[in-house]
């Protein structure tokens, strides 16, 4: 029921009576709101200040990525995958690359796998850092943003060193990776994992873990029981924060994750604070994985040896006619992928990031579908925010860590 | 009191300028952006505000949550057809004088997404002052765009847009 209260201003009233005798009031929140982590819009029914119902309205960042990929050749699709979950580009690349590789029946060499793991873990770190910085900012810990982005910038510098680009690296491609790690990159990674990051995670914990304001804003806020989390399909820190030890890196290992020694971070608190603890622990585990990957980085090629899939090296082009033909074919027509359907899921900073590909045997995909963690995790929002104050919704949206690019695609 | 006596009493404590230049100087050095993030570029916009590059050196660290308090809209990311009317509303809510920076390839031209879902360039709905190429641009690129805009604001004087 819409009531006009004058000057063209209207108020939506549901007509229901709340627990305190007043009417429920429908309030719009977003899509332009500083704490919605993108362009999320929520239509909230309030009883006084208590949240009684939440209806997320999504699609404000719908980019048509899946449809766009049907118009792009297999190797061009990588560029678009970068941009759907823009806080973890290499992990999106990996899901797509693994799916294409599974259809083609190829396996990348060990060095490429290790480099993929390195890039994915660096991305997980930077994604969690952005989460912690912005969530801290929203709950009043403003300095967190400055500290977290300092470390994120170090990761961006590493991205730039290895791929030439800060954010959307397109580094992981079907058939391998874009370029080999430079000595400077390995040097930076060594310094980052041995000193910088271990020290800085301690610093973040010192700033937040025992911070009374942070604890009061997060402990007991946004409870999500393990059953609810499973029923609603939550994955990633949302699920692990509810005490369920489910991590695709352990449950269905890919890219050689089974060879690394790390633990699944969980917390039984089931609230915003628990999800925060999970992310802190994951950052430590990521540093551990990076350390192991760096110490055991195998030598060898970084791409599959298949001229039908990847372009020949530059120097071959000047001496071999065949190489020129391969080069020409790859960059005009691309390669074709055998017909079939495949679903590959990887663990991103937000949860299960899956890529479903249907191929009809041509040089472009017939259908690409992303199972994005943000979209599914958003379902749990109402369950978490029910009967909380509207101010606590900020903490709850924050720890749900939805990326709207990932959600709307 | 004669003009010489006045000048003597003031010593060196005065300077002459035109009102337009003074207003332009003030406006140019305190451009407050609206806190309006859309997509990937928003992350780099946040990075511009942090300690690494520090947009505060140029007087623009005050990202305002309300469009009523801001002078500059940084369109940071892709604008979908569904978002376009909202973006225009926010632009209309900003008080004059106001400026727009179109950050990144998507906001400027649609970028790599030439499809049904995206607005092919934000200049179709709001007037853009500075375009930044890149996908996403570096924080330094945003600073450069801000400096270009500041030069322009300073040159515009009292009545920026006719």
């Amino acid at each position: 029921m819409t009531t006009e209260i004058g000057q063209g201003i209207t108020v939506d009233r549901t007509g229901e009576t709340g627990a305190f005798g007043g009417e429920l009031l429908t309030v719009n929140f977003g899509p332009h709101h500083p704490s919605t982590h993108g362009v999320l819009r929520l239509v909230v029914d309030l009883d006084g200040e208590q949240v009684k119902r939440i209806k997320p309205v999504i699609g404000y960042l719908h980019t048509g990525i899946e449809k766009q990929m049907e118009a792009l050749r297999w190797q061009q699709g990588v560029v678009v995958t970068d941009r759907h979950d823009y806080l973890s580009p290499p992990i999106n690349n990996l899901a797509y690359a693994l799916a294409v590789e599974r259809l083609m029946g190829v396996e990348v060499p060990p060095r490429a796998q290790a480099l993929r793991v390195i890039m994915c873990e660096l991305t997980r770190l930077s994604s969690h850092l952005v989460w912690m910085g912005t969530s801290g900012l929203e709950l009043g810990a403003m300095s967190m943003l400055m500290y977290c982005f300092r470390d994120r910038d170090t990761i961006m510098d590493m991205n730039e060193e290895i791929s030439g680009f800060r954010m959307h690296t397109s580094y992981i491609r079907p058939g391998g990776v874009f370029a080999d790690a430079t000595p400077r990159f390995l040097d930076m990674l060594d310094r980052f994992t041995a000193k910088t990051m271990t020290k800085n995670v301690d610093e973040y914990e010192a700033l937040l873990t025992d911070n009374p304001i942070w604890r009061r804003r997060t402990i007991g806020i946004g409870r999500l029981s393990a059953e609810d989390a499973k029923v609603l399909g939550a994955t990633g820190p949302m699920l692990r924060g509810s005490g369920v030890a489910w991590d695709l890196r352990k449950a269905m290992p890919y890219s050689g994750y089974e060879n690394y020694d790390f633990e699944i971070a969980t917390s039984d608190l089931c609230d915003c604070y628990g999800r925060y603890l999970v992310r802190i622990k994951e950052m430590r585990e990521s540093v551990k994985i990076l350390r192991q990957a760096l110490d055991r980085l195998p030598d060898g090629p970084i791409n599959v040896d298949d001229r039908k899939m990847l372009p020949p090296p530059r120097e071959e082009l000047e001496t071999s006619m065949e190489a020129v033909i391969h080069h020409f074919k790859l960059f005009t027509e691309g390669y074709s992928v055998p017909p079939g359907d495949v679903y590959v899921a990887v663990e991103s900073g937000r949860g299960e990031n899956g890529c479903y590909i249907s191929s009809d045997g041509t040089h472009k995909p017939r259908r690409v579908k992303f199972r994005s963690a943000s979209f599914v995790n958003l379902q749990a929002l109402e369950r978490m925010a029910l009967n909380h104050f509207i101010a606590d919704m900020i903490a709850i949206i924050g720890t749900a860590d939805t990326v709207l690019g990932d959600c709307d695609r | 009191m004669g003009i010489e006596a006045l000048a003597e009493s003031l010593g060196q404590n005065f300077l002459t300028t035109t009102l337009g230049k003074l207003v332009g100087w003030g406006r140019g050095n305190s451009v407050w952006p609206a806190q309006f993030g859309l997509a990937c570029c928003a992350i780099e916009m946040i990075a511009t505000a942090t300690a690494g590059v520090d947009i505060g050196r140029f007087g623009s660290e005050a990202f305002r949550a309300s469009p009523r308090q801001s002078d500059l809209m940084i369109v940071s990311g892709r604008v979908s057809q569904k978002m376009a009317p909202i973006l225009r509303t926010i632009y209309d809510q900003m008080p004059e004088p106001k400026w727009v920076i179109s950050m990144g390839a998507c906001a400027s031209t649609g970028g790599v997404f030439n499809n049904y879902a995206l607005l092919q360039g934000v200049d179709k709905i709001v007037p853009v002052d500075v375009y930044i190429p890149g996908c996403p641009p570096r924080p330094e690129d945003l600073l450069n765009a801000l400096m270009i805009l500041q030069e322009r604001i300073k040159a515009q004087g009292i009545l920026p847009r006719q």
Side-chain angles (χ1 to χ4, degrees), chain A residues 264-291:
Chain A
I264 303 178
T266 55
S267 165
D268 292 326
L269 293 172
C270 306
D271 57 6
C272 290
Y273 191 68
R275 293 190 276 278
Y276 154 76
L277 291 179
V278 165
R279 291 201 173 93
I280 284 276
K281 179 92 186 294
E282 277 191 16
M283 285 165 72
R284 292 190 192 282
E285 295 301 314
S286 286
V287 175
K288 236 163 84 182
I289 298 173
L290 281 170
R291 200 63 234 169

Tab-separated table of all heavy atoms in Angstrom, chain A residues 264-291:
chain	number	residue	atom	x	y	z
A	264	ILE	N	41.860	-26.312	6.684
A	264	ILE	CA	40.621	-25.604	6.379
A	264	ILE	C	40.280	-24.742	7.584
A	264	ILE	O	40.184	-25.238	8.703
A	264	ILE	CB	39.473	-26.590	6.099
A	264	ILE	CG1	39.844	-27.524	4.948
A	264	ILE	CG2	38.202	-25.834	5.769
A	264	ILE	CD1	38.792	-28.549	4.642
A	265	ALA	N	40.113	-23.450	7.325
A	265	ALA	CA	39.781	-22.539	8.422
A	265	ALA	C	38.295	-22.632	8.718
A	265	ALA	O	37.477	-22.458	7.823
A	265	ALA	CB	40.149	-21.113	8.033
A	266	THR	N	37.940	-22.951	9.962
A	266	THR	CA	36.518	-22.957	10.324
A	266	THR	C	36.340	-22.231	11.651
A	266	THR	O	37.289	-21.987	12.380
A	266	THR	CB	35.957	-24.383	10.507
A	266	THR	OG1	36.763	-25.061	11.460
A	266	THR	CG2	35.905	-25.139	9.210
A	267	SER	N	35.086	-21.890	11.907
A	267	SER	CA	34.749	-21.284	13.191
A	267	SER	C	33.351	-21.740	13.573
A	267	SER	O	32.470	-21.805	12.726
A	267	SER	CB	34.797	-19.763	13.075
A	267	SER	OG	34.141	-19.193	14.180
A	268	ASP	N	33.159	-22.058	14.845
A	268	ASP	CA	31.844	-22.525	15.297
A	268	ASP	C	30.959	-21.392	15.784
A	268	ASP	O	29.859	-21.633	16.259
A	268	ASP	CB	32.019	-23.555	16.429
A	268	ASP	CG	32.657	-24.827	15.895
A	268	ASP	OD1	32.372	-25.164	14.734
A	268	ASP	OD2	33.444	-25.459	16.614
A	269	LEU	N	31.444	-20.166	15.662
A	269	LEU	CA	30.671	-19.049	16.208
A	269	LEU	C	29.419	-18.741	15.384
A	269	LEU	O	28.449	-18.202	15.888
A	269	LEU	CB	31.546	-17.797	16.281
A	269	LEU	CG	32.695	-17.869	17.286
A	269	LEU	CD1	33.600	-16.674	17.142
A	269	LEU	CD2	32.127	-17.923	18.696
A	270	CYS	N	29.427	-19.077	14.095
A	270	CYS	CA	28.279	-18.907	13.196
A	270	CYS	C	27.837	-17.456	13.045
A	270	CYS	O	26.719	-17.195	12.599
A	270	CYS	CB	27.072	-19.722	13.650
A	270	CYS	SG	27.431	-21.442	13.889
A	271	ASP	N	28.651	-16.487	13.433
A	271	ASP	CA	28.221	-15.090	13.306
A	271	ASP	C	29.247	-14.290	12.499
A	271	ASP	O	30.180	-14.863	11.927
A	271	ASP	CB	27.980	-14.476	14.686
A	271	ASP	CG	29.222	-14.566	15.564
A	271	ASP	OD1	30.261	-14.989	15.041
A	271	ASP	OD2	29.127	-14.235	16.756
A	272	CYS	N	29.048	-12.982	12.458
A	272	CYS	CA	29.956	-12.143	11.669
A	272	CYS	C	31.394	-12.255	12.161
A	272	CYS	O	32.333	-12.267	11.375
A	272	CYS	CB	29.507	-10.693	11.747
A	272	CYS	SG	27.988	-10.387	10.878
A	273	TYR	N	31.545	-12.350	13.488
A	273	TYR	CA	32.895	-12.462	14.054
A	273	TYR	C	33.547	-13.775	13.621
A	273	TYR	O	34.736	-13.812	13.294
A	273	TYR	CB	32.809	-12.375	15.568
A	273	TYR	CG	34.138	-12.220	16.257
A	273	TYR	CD1	34.872	-11.054	16.112
A	273	TYR	CD2	34.654	-13.240	17.047
A	273	TYR	CE1	36.088	-10.906	16.742
A	273	TYR	CE2	35.869	-13.094	17.682
A	273	TYR	CZ	36.591	-11.929	17.534
A	273	TYR	OH	37.796	-11.798	18.156
A	274	GLY	N	32.755	-14.846	13.586
A	274	GLY	CA	33.277	-16.130	13.145
A	274	GLY	C	33.760	-16.075	11.705
A	274	GLY	O	34.813	-16.609	11.368
A	275	ARG	N	32.983	-15.410	10.873
A	275	ARG	CA	33.395	-15.297	9.466
A	275	ARG	C	34.655	-14.453	9.327
A	275	ARG	O	35.501	-14.704	8.473
A	275	ARG	CB	32.243	-14.709	8.656
A	275	ARG	CG	31.068	-15.642	8.567
A	275	ARG	CD	30.039	-15.176	7.572
A	275	ARG	NE	29.110	-14.206	8.120
A	275	ARG	CZ	28.027	-14.506	8.843
A	275	ARG	NH1	27.756	-15.754	9.121
A	275	ARG	NH2	27.226	-13.558	9.288
A	276	TYR	N	34.782	-13.463	10.209
A	276	TYR	CA	36.012	-12.665	10.217
A	276	TYR	C	37.204	-13.541	10.598
A	276	TYR	O	38.244	-13.513	9.941
A	276	TYR	CB	35.842	-11.483	11.183
A	276	TYR	CG	37.128	-10.958	11.756
A	276	TYR	CD1	37.971	-10.173	10.973
A	276	TYR	CD2	37.512	-11.247	13.063
A	276	TYR	CE1	39.159	-9.695	11.498
A	276	TYR	CE2	38.697	-10.783	13.582
A	276	TYR	CZ	39.520	-10.007	12.795
A	276	TYR	OH	40.702	-9.557	13.305
A	277	LEU	N	37.026	-14.366	11.640
A	277	LEU	CA	38.129	-15.236	12.076
A	277	LEU	C	38.530	-16.203	10.967
A	277	LEU	O	39.707	-16.490	10.766
A	277	LEU	CB	37.720	-16.019	13.332
A	277	LEU	CG	37.563	-15.206	14.616
A	277	LEU	CD1	37.143	-16.119	15.741
A	277	LEU	CD2	38.847	-14.481	14.975
A	278	VAL	N	37.512	-16.717	10.243
A	278	VAL	CA	37.803	-17.641	9.151
A	278	VAL	C	38.666	-16.955	8.099
A	278	VAL	O	39.656	-17.520	7.618
A	278	VAL	CB	36.490	-18.154	8.527
A	278	VAL	CG1	36.741	-18.798	7.185
A	278	VAL	CG2	35.820	-19.138	9.451
A	279	ARG	N	38.334	-15.729	7.773
A	279	ARG	CA	39.101	-15.045	6.730
A	279	ARG	C	40.519	-14.742	7.184
A	279	ARG	O	41.469	-14.859	6.403
A	279	ARG	CB	38.374	-13.771	6.305
A	279	ARG	CG	37.101	-14.086	5.566
A	279	ARG	CD	36.624	-12.932	4.712
A	279	ARG	NE	35.488	-13.370	3.904
A	279	ARG	CZ	34.214	-13.223	4.291
A	279	ARG	NH1	33.932	-12.639	5.414
A	279	ARG	NH2	33.248	-13.651	3.517
A	280	ILE	N	40.666	-14.377	8.442
A	280	ILE	CA	42.028	-14.135	8.969
A	280	ILE	C	42.853	-15.425	8.870
A	280	ILE	O	43.989	-15.434	8.392
A	280	ILE	CB	41.955	-13.667	10.439
A	280	ILE	CG1	41.509	-12.211	10.503
A	280	ILE	CG2	43.280	-13.859	11.144
A	280	ILE	CD1	42.607	-11.205	10.329
A	281	LYS	N	42.228	-16.535	9.293
A	281	LYS	CA	42.937	-17.818	9.250
A	281	LYS	C	43.274	-18.174	7.803
A	281	LYS	O	44.366	-18.662	7.511
A	281	LYS	CB	42.040	-18.884	9.885
A	281	LYS	CG	42.595	-20.288	9.910
A	281	LYS	CD	43.348	-20.586	11.198
A	281	LYS	CE	44.036	-21.928	11.180
A	281	LYS	NZ	43.133	-23.062	11.141
A	282	GLU	N	42.335	-17.928	6.906
A	282	GLU	CA	42.600	-18.247	5.496
A	282	GLU	C	43.757	-17.443	4.948
A	282	GLU	O	44.511	-17.932	4.101
A	282	GLU	CB	41.341	-17.963	4.655
A	282	GLU	CG	40.368	-19.105	4.699
A	282	GLU	CD	39.256	-18.964	3.686
A	282	GLU	OE1	39.370	-18.162	2.740
A	282	GLU	OE2	38.262	-19.662	3.865
A	283	MET	N	43.897	-16.212	5.408
A	283	MET	CA	45.027	-15.415	4.949
A	283	MET	C	46.336	-16.052	5.394
A	283	MET	O	47.292	-16.138	4.628
A	283	MET	CB	44.901	-13.981	5.467
A	283	MET	CG	43.846	-13.203	4.704
A	283	MET	SD	43.347	-11.683	5.495
A	283	MET	CE	44.747	-10.689	5.233
A	284	ARG	N	46.369	-16.518	6.623
A	284	ARG	CA	47.586	-17.192	7.111
A	284	ARG	C	47.854	-18.467	6.304
A	284	ARG	O	48.997	-18.765	5.952
A	284	ARG	CB	47.433	-17.551	8.576
A	284	ARG	CG	47.387	-16.346	9.499
A	284	ARG	CD	47.479	-16.797	10.942
A	284	ARG	NE	47.154	-15.735	11.863
A	284	ARG	CZ	47.980	-14.751	12.188
A	284	ARG	NH1	49.191	-14.712	11.664
A	284	ARG	NH2	47.614	-13.804	13.029
A	285	GLU	N	46.766	-19.216	6.038
A	285	GLU	CA	46.946	-20.463	5.280
A	285	GLU	C	47.418	-20.164	3.858
A	285	GLU	O	48.236	-20.887	3.305
A	285	GLU	CB	45.633	-21.255	5.234
A	285	GLU	CG	45.162	-21.761	6.579
A	285	GLU	CD	46.165	-22.668	7.258
A	285	GLU	OE1	46.703	-23.561	6.591
A	285	GLU	OE2	46.423	-22.450	8.451
A	286	SER	N	46.904	-19.076	3.271
A	286	SER	CA	47.334	-18.704	1.921
A	286	SER	C	48.823	-18.402	1.903
A	286	SER	O	49.532	-18.803	0.977
A	286	SER	CB	46.571	-17.477	1.430
A	286	SER	OG	45.266	-17.827	1.110
A	287	VAL	N	49.296	-17.704	2.914
A	287	VAL	CA	50.733	-17.405	2.980
A	287	VAL	C	51.525	-18.708	3.061
A	287	VAL	O	52.559	-18.869	2.413
A	287	VAL	CB	51.032	-16.477	4.182
A	287	VAL	CG1	52.524	-16.264	4.330
A	287	VAL	CG2	50.334	-15.154	4.021
A	288	LYS	N	50.981	-19.667	3.837
A	288	LYS	CA	51.649	-20.959	3.963
A	288	LYS	C	51.728	-21.671	2.609
A	288	LYS	O	52.776	-22.196	2.224
A	288	LYS	CB	50.851	-21.836	4.948
A	288	LYS	CG	51.652	-22.362	6.108
A	288	LYS	CD	50.751	-22.841	7.229
A	288	LYS	CE	50.259	-24.243	7.038
A	288	LYS	NZ	49.347	-24.680	8.113
A	289	ILE	N	50.605	-21.661	1.868
A	289	ILE	CA	50.587	-22.310	0.555
A	289	ILE	C	51.568	-21.620	-0.386
A	289	ILE	O	52.331	-22.265	-1.117
A	289	ILE	CB	49.167	-22.306	-0.032
A	289	ILE	CG1	48.216	-23.100	0.855
A	289	ILE	CG2	49.165	-22.880	-1.446
A	289	ILE	CD1	46.770	-23.002	0.429
A	290	LEU	N	51.583	-20.292	-0.342
A	290	LEU	CA	52.489	-19.537	-1.218
A	290	LEU	C	53.934	-19.906	-0.921
A	290	LEU	O	54.740	-20.096	-1.840
A	290	LEU	CB	52.290	-18.039	-0.991
A	290	LEU	CG	51.084	-17.402	-1.670
A	290	LEU	CD1	50.883	-15.992	-1.172
A	290	LEU	CD2	51.275	-17.389	-3.180
A	291	ARG	N	54.251	-20.010	0.356
A	291	ARG	CA	55.607	-20.355	0.775
A	291	ARG	C	56.008	-21.721	0.203
A	291	ARG	O	57.079	-21.885	-0.365
A	291	ARG	CB	55.611	-20.367	2.304
A	291	ARG	CG	56.907	-20.231	2.999
A	291	ARG	CD	57.567	-18.928	2.736
A	291	ARG	NE	58.903	-19.187	2.245
A	291	ARG	CZ	59.695	-18.272	1.714
A	291	ARG	NH1	59.281	-17.029	1.587
A	291	ARG	NH2	60.884	-18.580	1.281
